[in-house]
Amino acid sequence: MTDTNKLIIPKVPSPFKVMAAKEITDLIRSWRFTLLLLLVFFTFAASMYIGVSNIRTVFNNTQDPDHAFLYLKLLTGGDGSMPPFHILLSFLAPLLGISMGFDAINTEMNAGTLTRLIAQPIYRDNILLAKIYSPIVITATLFFSLSLLMIGSGLLITGVRIEPQEVLRIMGFTLTTVIYIGFYLSLAILFSIIFRQPATSALSVLGIWLFFTVFYPMLVNLAVKAFMPDPAYLTQSQLMGYNELILNILRIAPNQLYSDAATTLLMPSVRSLGPMSMEQLSGAIPAPLPVRESLMIVWPQISGMIAFSVACFALAYYLFMRREIRS
């Protein structure tokens, strides 16, 4: 006999999914995200227009070992009127992450909604996880959609078949961009926990971004001129050692890590991110590297950005879990 009176209990979604869906909806409907989305889209459209306009000249330049990679040239090519798309993203991507995280916690605290949320039977860490998960989902969807739009537009305009290597490199570049945004997002969420006022947290994160983007290379160059010996009295091996030291100091900045990784993924002929001796240059074949070798070159940069992001989020998690929240 079958039990026709069996009670059917509907499946209730987890609190994390509910909070993540709400955060995604709030971010998509916000004006600041819409403005930054339009800025990124118009920058992408302008870069695509310039890349398509000069694609014939770039493709016929046989002296360039990367001239056959048509779709990569759409992202890296230009006519000098504006920087390539991956260079512009090194400035725009942090703003996107900062805009979605600088008021993630302190606005909820000031409005009193965080107190009511904590009073519900949910885990506190789900709140913080939803705050970082939702923007990453949005940015990943945005940039992967732009990558697919670029590939589709290139197929319609040029009619040239895209190579699997180009698809892997474009997807790797897109994933690297999402990781780069994730660092500034986690840093913005950290400052939104430390400071109660959203304006203070926004200015603090913007100050760090400006320092690493503008002032940090200037300070490194001034320190090099002050403490580095005269290059005329150095041997080639000593000069290469000093140059490698300078590059390692510059790579403390996240934007330098991103620029190195993006350049290597989008330009297959890049064989090294450090100084090369004349013997290495004379023995190198000017040919593009396979995707696997390019990924091996940029793995330290990608792992460095991931480590910075995890460190910022771990500190934010620690501070948020120990924060006393009152009405």
Side-chain angles (χ1 to χ4, degrees), residues 207-268:
I208 293 177
W209 169 66
L210 283 175
F211 171 76
F212 281 123
T213 304
V214 179
F215 299 107
Y216 183 71
M218 297 170 56
L219 293 177
V220 172
N221 291 329
L222 290 175
V224 167
K225 291 181 180 180
F227 298 103
M228 183 178 175
D230 189 352
Y233 298 97
L234 297 177
T235 62
Q236 184 181 7
S237 60
Q238 291 175 335
L239 188 60
M240 288 183 61
Y242 276 109
N243 290 335
E244 184 69 26
L245 177 62
I246 294 170
L247 285 175
N248 290 333
I249 295 174
L250 287 174
R251 284 171 184 153
I252 297 176
N255 60 306
Q256 183 66 36
L257 296 177
Y258 173 75
S259 298
D260 290 346
T263 302
T264 306
L265 289 173
L266 295 178
M267 298 180 180

Side-chain angles (χ1 to χ4, degrees), residues 43-84:
T43 303
F44 171 78
S47 300
M48 278 288 297
Y49 176 77
I50 293 175
V52 171
S53 302
N54 296 276
I55 197 64
R56 185 183 297 274
T57 303
V58 172
F59 189 76
N60 293 329
N61 185 15
T62 56
Q63 296 181 353
D64 185 2
D66 298 332
H67 74 282
F69 295 95
L70 182 68
Y71 291 87
L72 298 182
K73 285 299 180 181
L74 292 177
L75 293 175
T76 59
D79 58 355
S81 59
M82 65 179 296

Side-chain angles (χ1 to χ4, degrees), residues 80-129:
S81 59
M82 65 179 296
F85 183 63
H86 70 284
I87 300 298
L88 291 173
L89 269 187
S90 64
F91 295 95
L92 294 179
L95 296 178
L96 190 61
I98 292 171
S99 68
M100 293 188 292
F102 76 92
D103 61 346
I105 302 297
N106 46 26
T107 299
E108 299 266 8
M109 294 182 63
N110 295 334
T113 55
L114 187 61
T115 305
R116 294 194 293 268
L117 193 60
I118 291 294
Q120 304 300 318
I122 58 175
Y123 294 108
R124 182 185 283 199
D125 53 356
N126 281 343
I127 301 173
L128 192 61
L129 291 174

Side-chain angles (χ1 to χ4, degrees), residues 172-202:
F173 162 71
T174 306
L175 182 60
T176 304
T177 304
V178 174
I179 295 173
Y180 181 50
I181 294 174
F183 164 71
Y184 280 99
L185 173 64
S186 58
L187 185 65
I189 292 177
L190 172 62
F191 279 98
S192 74
I193 297 173
I194 295 175
F195 300 108
R196 284 190 170 271
Q197 298 300 323
T200 307
S201 60

Side-chain angles (χ1 to χ4, degrees), residues 25 176 182 296 299:
T25 304
T176 304
M296 291 177 63
W299 176 245

